[in-house]
Amino acid sequence: MTDSREDPHVEDVSVRRATFTRLRVRDVRVRAADLSGVRVRGAELADVEISGELRNVVVNGVDIAPLVEAELNRRMPERARMRPDDPEGFREAWAILDRLWAGTLARAATFPEAALHRGVDGEWSFVQTLRHLNFASAAWVGRMIVGDPSPWHPLDLPWDEAPGWDGVPWDRAARPPLAEVLAVRRDRRAMVGRVVASLTPELLASHVTRDEPGWPRLAGFPLKECLHIVLHEEWEHRLYAERDLNALEKED
């Protein structure tokens, strides 16, 4: 018996220790998925695009994760600078991001503001991306490092699959003026810049604890990892923003 369904919407489903035989999955979009431990045998993978964090991804006996990392770093040499280990490395990484984002913002300024509120292929709009980066800086630096238990601005935007927390703003449908979002972003980037400028080896090796209600709520978390998360968010979301600006340019 063959059960064929077109355009179903499947959400919040957990499948564990299952076996699928003669499964046909075509023209499907998978978002925010945990595919850890998946084993695929005898499959045909053609015209497949995967974007995500890769660890121990073995294809035909080859772990492709290190190969992908090496190729991405070859294409974008500055990408390798986003996992620094010492204070000067963090200062260099932050300066790189400042320069790259300045170019992206200058490019975005050439678009009508309405276009910057338009998502591409179900993704966040350019303005929503900036709002999310404001949230990430507030969470991992403002709360975890600086110690403000509630560092939020009403326009901050958590990730779409976040569970939600009391007191943390989350208005995905808001359409604030770009200038207002950029003003918050300048403040948040200045806050991160001050932390990065003040880094010492001792501070970088320290751990932080925030046990107040809200998010993140972590004990003994490495301060270095808080900053790594912010660098990763800034790097990846700029690439997403450039990708979507490319698509918007073609639409117009």
Side-chain angles (χ1 to χ4, degrees), residues 15 116 170 178 187-188 193 210 235-236 240 244:
V15 180
L116 302 181
W170 192 353
L178 174 62
D187 289 343
R188 294 284 169 75
R210 295 291 170 255
W235 177 269
E236 293 297 334
Y240 301 152
D244 293 346

Side-chain angles (χ1 to χ4, degrees), residues 102-113 116 126 130 178 242 245:
T104 297
L105 290 173
R107 182 185 178 197
T110 67
F111 286 74
E113 184 155 330
L116 302 181
F126 185 85
L130 297 181
L178 174 62
E242 288 283 354
L245 289 176

Side-chain angles (χ1 to χ4, degrees), residues 26 29 33 56 78 107 128 141 144 149 169 182 190 213-214 226 231 234-235 246:
R26 303 179 68 122
R29 300 293 183 269
N56 301 321
E78 290 167 323
R107 182 185 178 197
Q128 286 171 325
V141 177
M144 290 300 293
L182 287 175
C226 293
L231 294 183
E234 291 279 343
W235 177 269
N246 289 340

Side-chain angles (χ1 to χ4, degrees), residues 25-197:
V25 182
R26 303 179 68 122
D27 299 322
V28 169
R29 300 293 183 269
V30 180
R31 294 175 57 88
D34 181 356
L35 302 177
S36 303
V38 171
R39 300 291 182 270
V40 180
R41 300 285 187 270
E44 294 182 18
L45 287 176
D47 300 322
V48 174
E49 180 180 337
I50 299 173
S51 175
E53 184 177 347
L54 305 183
R55 296 191 309 274
N56 301 321
V57 181
V58 180
V59 177
N60 292 339
V62 178
D63 182 0
I64 66 169
L67 305 180
V68 172
E69 283 293 299
E71 175 60 13
L72 289 174
N73 289 341
R74 185 191 68 80
R75 295 181 183 185
M76 300 173 287
E78 290 167 323
R79 180 179 183 273
R81 308 289 182 90
M82 295 299 118
R83 292 290 297 179
D85 287 321
D86 56 44
E88 283 307 314
F90 277 96
R91 287 188 269 273
E92 180 186 22
W94 196 242
I96 289 170
L97 288 168
D98 266 341
R99 174 173 53 79
L100 293 176
W101 265 109
T104 297
L105 290 173
R107 182 185 178 197
T110 67
F111 286 74
E113 184 155 330
L116 302 181
H117 284 283
R118 192 162 72 240
V120 175
D121 196 23
E123 301 291 343
W124 281 332
S125 69
F126 185 85
V127 174
Q128 286 171 325
T129 294
L130 297 181
R131 292 173 57 201
H132 175 68
L133 291 174
N134 289 344
F135 167 80
S137 294
W140 293 104
V141 177
R143 180 176 161 95
M144 290 300 293
I145 297 178
V146 176
D148 184 346
S150 185
W152 317 115
H153 184 279
L155 294 176
D156 289 345
L157 184 64
W159 68 101
D160 282 347
E161 297 77 22
W165 312 271
D166 289 340
V168 179
W170 192 353
D171 185 359
R172 193 185 197 278
R175 290 175 62 91
L178 174 62
E180 185 175 355
V181 175
L182 287 175
V184 178
R185 181 156 170 77
R186 283 192 293 271
D187 289 343
R188 294 284 169 75
R189 286 190 63 81
M191 172 188 66
V192 178
R194 288 192 295 271
V195 169
V196 169

